[in-house]
Amino acid sequence: MKKAAFLSLLFFPLLLACSHGPSAEEQAMEAARVAAQGYYDFLLRGDFQQFLSGRADADSLPSDYSEQLQVACHQFMIQQRQAHDGMVAARATRAVIDSSLHVVQVFLQIDYADSTREEIVVPMVECGGEWKMR
């Protein structure tokens, strides 16, 4: 009986440690993954202004430069249509944190209409409580 009580006291802290929710790093990776997915959903819908709002420097871009970037996004999507019949989906498959650089690398799988796939890496940084593309 004493042995069982001793073992329960020994394993109780371990049980408590395992029962807590996700760590701060896991929460950061998930938040960055969701944000990157959202920004690329805007790109796929042709909402280039919203896609570009996901850049870390979006607030400091001059309006004429922002317009040039929107045109570049539009041209990129035309290029993807010519090369692969267009992008049809972007899925954030995983995220890896580099806590020393304060960056989360989000891996996105891009699916094209011609049935090809590509994996890209989107570096994400936290800016004022939001995750943005670097």
Side-chain angles (χ1 to χ4, degrees), residues 6-134:
F6 175 73
L7 286 175
S8 66
L9 286 176
L10 182 65
F11 288 108
F12 186 70
L14 180 62
L15 180 64
L16 284 177
C18 293
S19 67
H20 291 297
S23 70
E25 285 186 347
E26 291 170 330
Q27 291 175 354
M29 288 187 296
E30 178 63 13
R33 189 189 68 74
V34 168
Q37 175 74 57
Y39 298 136
Y40 272 79
D41 287 346
F42 287 129
L43 178 66
L44 289 172
R45 288 195 299 256
D47 191 344
F48 307 126
Q49 184 175 4
Q50 285 294 338
F51 171 72
L52 292 170
S53 75
R55 289 176 48 128
D57 61 353
D59 295 340
S60 62
L61 294 177
S63 61
D64 59 333
Y65 183 59
S66 180
E67 290 172 19
Q68 291 173 7
L69 288 175
Q70 289 180 48
V71 169
C73 287
H74 182 69
Q75 291 171 340
F76 172 76
M77 294 303 281
I78 290 171
Q79 179 189 40
Q80 296 306 302
R81 267 187 295 236
Q82 292 170 345
H84 300 286
D85 295 329
M87 295 168 58
V88 294
R91 287 189 315 274
T93 57
R94 62 190 170 105
V96 178
I97 194 165
D98 185 337
S99 54
S100 64
L101 295 176
H102 306 289
V103 173
V104 173
Q105 305 289 350
V106 176
F107 293 78
L108 289 169
Q109 180 178 300
I110 307 297
D111 294 335
Y112 295 96
D114 66 0
S115 75
T116 57
R117 290 185 171 151
E118 177 181 19
E119 184 176 60
I120 63 171
V121 179
V122 180
M124 303 289 288
V125 294
E126 192 173 15
C127 300
E130 293 184 272
W131 285 93
K132 302 283 187 166
M133 298 178 287
R134 185 165 62 160

